[in-house]
Amino acid sequence: MVAPYAYPRAVQLLPHLNLKPLTQKVFELDDGVEAFAAQLTGKYPKILIRCNPDIE
């Protein structure tokens, strides 16, 4: 069980974290096969697939 204050505290910490390495490679949904291939290379610690093109 997680304490009820844990989630809001985690959200408060987000602006203080360097998340750039985790979001440096973003693929569009139509490029899913390429995204999975990139993940297999190990070049990126995290691969993101954007499902909604209206969100930056």
Side-chain angles (χ1 to χ4, degrees), residues 25 27 32:
K25 194 62 178 169
F27 289 90

Side-chain angles (χ1 to χ4, degrees), residues 24-49:
Q24 64 183 355
K25 194 62 178 169
V26 180
F27 289 90
E28 299 301 325
L29 186 58
D30 291 341
D31 299 325
V33 173
E34 183 183 349
F36 282 101
Q39 177 65 32
L40 292 175
T41 67
K43 182 177 178 182
Y44 305 102
K46 180 67 99 179
I47 299 291
L48 299 176
I49 298 176

